[in-house]
Amino acid sequence: MAETYEVIVVGGGFAGIEAAKKLGRAGVRTLLVDVHGYHQFQPLLYQLATAQIGVSELARPLRSIFRNQPSVRVLTARVSAVDPERRSITLSDGTVYEADDALIVACGAEANFFNTPGARENAYPLYSATDATRLGSELVALLDQADKDTGQKSMNVAVVGAGPTGVETAGAIADAINYVVPKLFAGGLAKRCSVALVDMVDRTLGGFSEKSQAYAASRLVERGVRLKLGSAVTEVRKDGLSFADGATMDADLVIWAGGLKAGPLLRESGMPQGRGGRVDVGKDLTAPGYDGRVYVLGDAANITDDRDERLPQLGSVAKQSGAWAARNILAQRAGRPTEPFGYKDRGYMAMIGRGSAVAELGRSRRLVRGPAAFMVWLAVHLALLSGASQKARALVSWIFTYLSHTRQHVFVGSPEQAAVEEGADRPAA
């Protein structure tokens, strides 16, 4: 017989954490399940990959988060199946849990390679701490190889996807080449390194204003990033990229920031799926057809605002949706109706590199850029980090990195080891 809880939350990301915290404060018997035993702050993964911060800054143990909420049980396990009809989940070992009141599915997403030949095999995604560690290890290995090569070997990096993740990653790697590599390696290695940012659309930072897009592009070019926009990648090879316009590009390392899609857990759940394989949820964040007792949140959901505009896959959307879903569940338990999601739009922002960022604040999209936006970005992300120790360590790392032009973090293990671990840990939840 299946063990029951009042609410089951699948996924320990922004949405799942916020929902479980609110339910825990209300004393609701809740089960939170995640394949990892920690919450990871995904907006800073590119900084982990470029050694600006360490794992301890962006990851926090789930049990530490809920240590003062005894009604929330944290379970580290892989969810292999979700049954929305029964509001149940099945773990990889066959154990089944059922929810009396509500099931929350906030299982995140995975890289969307859009069936591009060679992308899954040859490109590095950036969606988890393991992805970031693997990427960072490969970057260091390539630099070491180029430094030792008497034939003056180069290191060429290509980032696919010119959205916020791609822009931030390309900018961070360019900064590392410009500021860090000359101090770590001799022989003019920095001059033999290059970074390219490519996308099928003809602009960076889609969804931002034209002024922000132009600013980001100009600052990237100033850092030495080569832009190839307006042509789709048709193949990812071990030695580079091919494009729809017939062009090719040499690359020793390809980073995939080309978008996300729902994982197999959602695909096999039977819930109706929309764009990106995500569930098109109702105004109250529930999946259609399950009596208002199944909520889908975060990167697993297509959520709209009060103007029926689709909200982006942002941490702020996930956090707010998690808290709102918990609020609606508490209302249902008290016999009150649920309410439409009231998203508070705080705008968009992206870090371009050292001292450069763009921020479009609030619903009016008030534009801030340059050093002021850089400081806003730091303040917002510091506030969003989970845990006082994580905030303190991140602040120290940022100050040290900015003032010293060096990196204090290292990668332990080879890229191959990280790849094996990632294959074993690829989450179903």
Side-chain angles (χ1 to χ4, degrees):
M1 183 176 179
E3 185 176 351
T4 62
Y5 287 81
E6 291 171 312
V7 178
I8 294 177
V9 180
V10 180
F14 288 121
I17 291 294
E18 289 301 309
K21 285 166 65 175
K22 191 173 184 67
L23 293 168
R25 286 193 291 267
V28 177
R29 190 166 179 263
T30 303
L31 174 66
L32 173 65
V33 187
D34 193 275
V35 71
H36 300 296
Y38 53 87
H39 166 69
Q40 55 189 0
F41 191 79
Q42 290 176 319
L44 294 181
L45 288 174
Y46 78 93
Q47 292 201 359
L48 174 60
T50 53
Q52 296 179 62
I53 62 173
V55 175
S56 60
E57 279 95 312
L58 63 75
R60 185 183 180 193
L62 290 173
R63 289 183 175 85
S64 172
I65 296 174
F66 296 99
R67 67 185 184 278
N68 294 323
Q69 295 183 338
S71 67
V72 178
R73 178 192 176 192
V74 173
L75 181 63
T76 303
R78 184 190 302 275
V79 177
S80 60
V82 169
D83 186 343
E85 295 283 354
R86 294 176 54 197
R87 297 193 297 276
S88 70
I89 62 172
T90 301
L91 306 185
S92 57
D93 64 2
T95 305
V96 178
Y97 295 94
E98 293 183 354
D100 289 332
D101 292 337
L103 170 66
I104 297 176
V105 181
C107 54
E110 63 183 22
N112 189 350
F113 295 107
F114 298 100
N115 298 317
T116 304
R120 183 175 294 276
E121 297 81 8
N122 299 318
Y124 284 69
L126 191 56
Y127 192 68
S128 70
T130 305
D131 287 340
T133 301
R134 179 186 173 214
L135 173 57
S137 297
E138 180 65 10
L139 277 169
V140 173
L142 287 172
L143 284 170
D144 281 333
Q145 182 180 353
D147 187 47
K148 296 173 184 175
D149 195 293
T150 57
Q152 298 292 291
K153 178 178 173 56
S154 62
M155 187 195 77
N156 304 309
V157 178
V159 181
V160 180
T165 299
V167 166
E168 292 181 330
T169 303
I173 295 175
D175 277 352
I177 291 172
N178 293 329
Y179 295 112
V180 180
V181 170
K183 294 188 177 184
L184 296 182
F185 299 88
L189 176 59
K191 296 180 180 179
R192 293 184 275 122
C193 298
S194 69
V195 183
L197 180 65
V198 307
D199 203 308
M200 65 182 296
V201 300
D202 60 359
R203 59 195 179 278
T204 63
L205 295 181
F208 283 67
S209 68
E210 291 184 5
K211 288 184 178 180
S212 293
Q213 293 169 354
Y215 177 83
S218 66
R219 291 299 181 270
L220 287 170
V221 171
E222 286 179 5
R223 284 168 165 75
V225 177
R226 180 157 61 101
L227 302 180
K228 179 167 177 50
L229 307 174
S231 184
V233 174
T234 56
E235 183 182 7
V236 180
R237 309 183 312 275
K238 289 184 178 180
D239 60 352
L241 303 170
S242 298
F243 297 89
D245 61 5
T248 60
M249 178 183 293
D250 292 337
D252 301 288
L253 175 65
V254 176
I255 301 169
W256 193 269
L260 301 172
K261 66 176 181 179
L265 194 63
L266 276 187
R267 291 197 296 270
E268 298 166 5
S269 69
M271 286 187 279
Q273 295 175 268
R275 183 179 179 180
R278 296 178 286 268
V279 175
D280 293 329
V281 296
K283 291 295 185 183
D284 62 354
L285 304 175
T286 59
Y290 302 103
D291 300 323
R293 299 290 182 174
V294 177
Y295 291 80
V296 184
L297 311 174
D299 287 346
N302 289 319
I303 302 173
T304 57
D305 61 13
D306 55 7
R307 297 179 292 193
D308 288 329
E309 295 181 359
R310 183 181 288 111
L311 296 173
Q313 267 63 53
L314 295 175
S316 60
V317 176
K319 285 173 69 73
Q320 291 184 46
S321 69
W324 200 276
R327 172 181 170 178
N328 276 342
I329 291 170
L330 294 175
Q332 289 173 317
R333 287 167 55 88
R336 301 192 306 272
T338 60
E339 295 182 5
F341 179 38
Y343 176 60
K344 294 182 179 178
D345 190 346
R346 296 183 172 88
Y348 307 144
M349 60 183 62
M351 175 76 76
I352 301 167
R354 178 185 172 85
S356 296
V358 291
E360 298 183 1
L361 304 177
R363 204 162 189 173
S364 63
R365 297 292 185 263
R366 177 173 174 266
L367 177 59
V368 182
R369 60 188 182 184
F374 180 78
M375 297 305 297
V376 169
W377 187 98
L378 290 175
V380 168
H381 285 72
L382 190 65
L384 290 174
L385 275 169
S386 177
S389 62
Q390 283 72 22
K391 296 176 192 288
R393 285 194 292 265
L395 181 59
V396 170
S397 291
W398 286 337
I399 293 173
F400 182 88
T401 297
Y402 190 87
L403 295 179
S404 68
H405 296 287
T406 60
R407 301 289 187 262
Q408 61 178 330
H409 299 283
V410 299
F411 299 101
V412 178
S414 67
E416 293 76 15
Q417 289 173 324
V420 170
E421 293 173 3
E422 174 71 358
D425 289 346
R426 179 64 68 182

